[in-house]
């Protein structure tokens, strides 16, 4: 019996706190397996992104197509595409995947900038995610991101409240513009590197394992909150979620 596979498109963070490194660990912690496709190389630490070099769109496709030829893809998770060309290439590949698997879950983390506001790719990031939003099963924007992309950009949204204030973080699930469910979590002290990657990847993995959306959203949030609560420091500044020691599978 094969382990459910999640095809992941994201950038490489050499600090290991976000991007593909975060995705691989969060997906493994749920009991699924990540197939990481690099869309961009970055120069960054746990605080700032200093430079981004998008991978050539043709090479992004070659990475993915080699995996599609042999692996049974049960879900897709998308982080930064790197540029508009990559976003379009990924969108074309997703349409082909959906032709043979119409119900394939696609989870989009519509990252428009780093937590510090640093640019994460070439071109306008809103333009780069627009086509992907239309294909996604669910997107997980934070409150600043949903203001930029629009609440009607995707059929389902989990709007995360980590950028707000107050004692609690409220995450809101919308389907076709209607509020379905709220979850409230105690706000943790400090700032975290790769929290959005962690949540989106955990959700994609739970969907790949066959869970329904409500259960998968709940399980992914429990896991993400535990990973943040157990975070550790690698340098001054943002902390890294302890992703692999908090499995709830």
């Amino acid at each position: 019996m094969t382990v459910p596979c999640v095809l992941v498109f994201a950038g490489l963070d050499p600090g290991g706190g976000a991007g593909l490194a975060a995705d691989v660990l969060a997906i493994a912690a749920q009991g699924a397996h990540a197939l990481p496709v690099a869309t961009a190389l970055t120069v960054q630490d746990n605080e700032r992104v200093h430079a981004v070099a998008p991978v050539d769109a043709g090479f992004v496709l070659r990475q993915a197509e080699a995996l599609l030829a042999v692996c049974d893809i049960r879900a897709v998770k998308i982080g930064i595409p790197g540029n508009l060309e990559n976003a379009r290439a990924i969108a074309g590949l997703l349409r082909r995947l959906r032709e043979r698997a119409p119900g394939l879950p696609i989870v989009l983390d519509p990252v428009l900038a780093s937590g510090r506001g640093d640019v994460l790719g070439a071109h306008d990031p809103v333009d780069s995610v627009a086509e992907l939003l239309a294909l996604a099963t669910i997107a997980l924007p934070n409150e600043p991101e949903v203001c930029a992309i629009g609440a009607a950009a995707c059929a389902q949204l989990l709007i995360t409240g980590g950028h707000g204030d107050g004692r609690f973080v409220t995450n809101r699930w919308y389907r076709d513009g209607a509020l379905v469910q709220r979850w409230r979590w105690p706000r943790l002290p400090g700032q975290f590197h790769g929290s959005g990657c962690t949540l989106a990847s955990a959700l994609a993995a739970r969907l790949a394992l066959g869970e329904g959306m409500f259960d998968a959203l709940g399980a992914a949030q429990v896991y993400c909150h535990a990973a943040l609560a157990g975070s550790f420091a690698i340098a001054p500044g943002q902390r890294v979620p302890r992703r692999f020691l908090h499995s709830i599978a």
Side-chain angles (χ1 to χ4, degrees), residues 1-240:
M1 181 177 177
T2 58
V3 173
C5 291
V6 180
L7 183 64
V8 181
F9 295 94
L12 178 64
D13 171 9
L20 291 174
D23 299 329
V24 169
L25 287 175
I27 289 167
Q30 314 311 307
H33 179 70
L35 304 174
V37 173
T39 59
L41 305 180
T42 71
V43 178
Q44 65 176 296
D45 51 39
N46 62 310
E47 277 285 284
R48 301 302 302 261
V49 178
H50 304 285
V52 178
V55 174
D56 175 77
F59 201 73
V60 171
L61 286 180
R62 285 186 63 190
Q63 293 176 75
E65 286 167 348
L67 298 166
L68 297 181
V70 295
C71 296
D72 180 18
I73 308 300
R74 299 293 183 86
V76 178
K77 185 267 178 178
I78 308 169
I80 63 166
N83 59 22
L84 187 57
E85 288 81 4
N86 285 354
R88 288 172 174 166
I90 293 167
L93 182 139
L94 294 179
R95 290 190 186 94
R96 283 188 277 136
L97 271 176
R98 278 271 175 79
E99 286 177 1
R100 67 191 201 200
L104 179 72
I106 298 173
V107 177
L108 174 64
D109 180 13
V111 186
L112 303 183
S114 75
R116 297 291 188 185
D118 299 317
V119 173
L120 289 171
H123 308 120
D124 184 332
V126 176
D127 291 341
S128 294
V129 301
E131 194 170 356
L132 298 171
L133 279 163
L135 292 167
T137 306
I138 187 169
L140 286 72
N142 57 39
E143 289 171 340
E145 288 165 347
V146 81
C147 290
I149 65 176
C154 186
Q156 296 188 78
L157 297 172
L158 180 71
I159 301 175
T160 59
H163 282 66
D165 298 314
R167 292 176 53 208
F168 296 96
V169 172
T170 300
N171 298 332
R172 294 166 289 147
W173 174 27
Y174 290 86
R175 186 169 52 213
D176 297 324
L179 178 65
V180 179
Q181 180 75 24
R182 286 189 182 92
W183 289 268
R184 198 165 74 149
W185 304 95
R187 188 177 298 276
L188 298 169
Q191 294 184 318
F192 308 98
H193 189 51
S195 56
C197 308
T198 305
L199 179 58
S201 288
L203 174 60
R206 305 307 298 195
L207 294 171
L209 291 165
E211 292 185 2
M213 185 62 75
F214 177 78
D215 290 339
L217 282 168
Q221 289 176 82
V222 169
Y223 165 77
C224 185
H225 191 268
L228 298 183
S231 65
F232 57 91
I234 60 170
Q238 294 182 339
R239 297 172 65 83
V240 175

